[in-house]
Amino acid sequence: MKRAALWVILLTMPVRSAGIPSNSRLAAPSAQLADNSDVRSAMAWFARNLAAINEQQIHLTEIPAPPFQEAQRAAALKTLLASAGLEVQIDNTGNVIGELRGATEKEIVVLSAHLDTVFPLSTEVKVRREGDRLVAPGISDNGTGLAALVAIARACHEARINPRRTILFVADVGEEGEGNLRGMRAFIDAYKSKLKAVIVLDGSGTDHVTTKALASRRVEATITGPGGHSWSDFGMPNPINALVRASVRFINTRVPAAPRTTFNLGQIEGGTSVNSIPYQAKLKVDIRSESEDELTKLESALRECIAAGVRDEMESSRDRSKGKLDWKVDLLGSRPGGELPAHSQLLAALRAADEFVGNQSRIERSSTDANVPLSNGIDAISIGAGGTGGGAHSLHEWYEPTGRDMGLKRALLTLLGVSGLAEEKSK
Ligand SMILES: [Zn+2]
C-alpha cells in the first residue's frame, strides 16, 4: 500500500472516544501530516541533532534516579523541556509535565517516559563508550526514552508544530518494581477525563508495540505464633509448618493455559534458629495473568490456602494451650491489566508511522506504564525509542544509537497522528 493512502485511511478513521461528536474535525489527514512542511522540518531536526541527542542521553543517565529518588533527574528534565518551549511543572508525585497547548485544549494526548531506574544510589552510573556502544546501568531503560522525549519536544518546538489536541510531555516517577506505577497512576487520576491517547517511550528498539497490559499482583503471606523451644515446647503450633502446609496446597492450584496465568513462590523466610519453634514465617508470591478475573481467583485461592494451612497446623498441634497462629496476606504491588482495541486510532497511527518509516513491529503483551491508562479504558501503547539496546536492569546495560532516527520519526508521527495538527497549520 502506498504511504499516502495509509495516512488517508488513518485520518479518515472515526475517533473511538464517545466524548467526541462524530461531526467534529479529526486529526489532520495523514497524507497532509507527512506532507506538512512543519512535520517534515521536525523530522529533519532529528537527523541534524543526533550527536547532541546522544550527549543528552549520557547526561541524563549519569544523574542517579533510584525508585523514590528521582527528584534530581526530574529537575534536569524540567529544565530541558522548558528550553523546548513548553510550560513545565512538577506535580505532587514528582512527575515532570510539559505542555504544548493545542487548538482543542479539552483533549489531551500524552508522550511519556519513566524517570526511574532499578539501581540503588551507590551504583556507578558513569557512561563508558565501547566502540559505537554506550554502556551504563539505565542507559537504555530509560535513558533512551528520556532522550527521545526531550528530542521530540524540541523538534516540535523548532518546527513550530501547532497540534490540534494538547500534547503533554511527561517524565514520570515510579515505573520500576516497588514504584508500582505510582507516577503514572497519579497522572492518569488527575487528567483522566481529557486523555485521548498515551504513548509510552520505554527503552530502545522499533521492533515491538505493547498494546496488551499484563496484569500482576505481588502478595506477602505472614504467619505468626507464640514460638518456643524445639524440645520442651514440641507440639506447639509452628508457623513454618503452617506455611509449608499452605504452600503445598497452593502449588497444587490449577491455572489455565489460556488465558495464560502464572504464579511463583519467590521468597520464603522465617525462624531464628534450628532449635527454636519460630514465631514467624513469610512467603512472597508473584501472580500474573492475561485475565484480571484469573488474577483475582488466584489471589483468593492463595488466601484460602494460607487459612487452610494454618487450620491444618492448629488441628494437628498437640499443645494449643500456649497460643494460636495468626495469619495475614498483604498486597505488595498490583499492576492492572487491559488491552488496546484493535481498531483504535492510536494503533492505526502507529501502523501508519511504521509504514512511513519502513518499519515492521509486532504486538506484545507486557507490564509497563501503559497498564494504567489501558486499565482505565484510555488508548495507550508502549514502544521503544529507536536504536538498539540490551542488558536491561543489569550493570552491563548498553545502547547503540545507530537507527535512532527511525525510532524518533516513528514516535513523532504516531504522536502527531493522534494529536492532529491545528487547521491553520495544515497545508
Ligand atoms: Zn523501562
Side-chain angles (χ1 to χ4, degrees), residues 66-114:
F68 300 96
Q69 297 174 79
E70 301 102 333
Q72 199 192 343
R73 191 179 280 186
L77 257 296
K78 187 181 179 194
T79 306
L80 290 169
L81 291 179
S83 70
L86 304 178
E87 221 172 272
V88 192
Q89 46 135 338
I90 296 184
D91 72 9
N92 290 336
T93 312
N95 299 316
V96 186
I97 302 170
E99 178 180 332
L100 176 58
R101 197 160 303 158
T104 313
E105 283 177 61
K106 276 180 271 168
E107 296 176 4
I108 293 174
V109 300
V110 175
L111 187 69
S112 80
H114 69 83

Side-chain angles (χ1 to χ4, degrees), residues 164-221:
R164 192 178 66 84
R165 290 169 165 164
T166 289
I167 298 176
L168 294 184
F169 293 85
V170 178
D172 59 300
V173 298
E175 193 271 342
E176 301 286 4
E178 66 220 70
N180 199 28
L181 310 182
R182 68 193 176 100
M184 189 54 81
R185 285 177 207 266
F187 174 80
I188 296 292
D189 261 2
Y191 289 88
K192 201 184 316 197
S193 61
K194 292 182 175 178
L195 293 181
K196 297 301 168 199
V198 177
I199 300 162
V200 174
L201 299 172
D202 201 342
S204 309
T206 51
D207 56 343
H208 75 280
V209 49
T210 298
T211 62
K212 303 172 186 202
L214 179 63
S216 72
R217 287 187 201 167
R218 286 162 194 181
V219 293
E220 182 177 61

Side-chain angles (χ1 to χ4, degrees), residues 134-157:
L134 304 174
V135 182
I139 184 74
S140 175
D141 179 16
N142 197 18
T144 310
L146 291 169
L149 185 75
V150 172
I152 292 168
R154 187 71 193 275
C156 287
H157 180 59

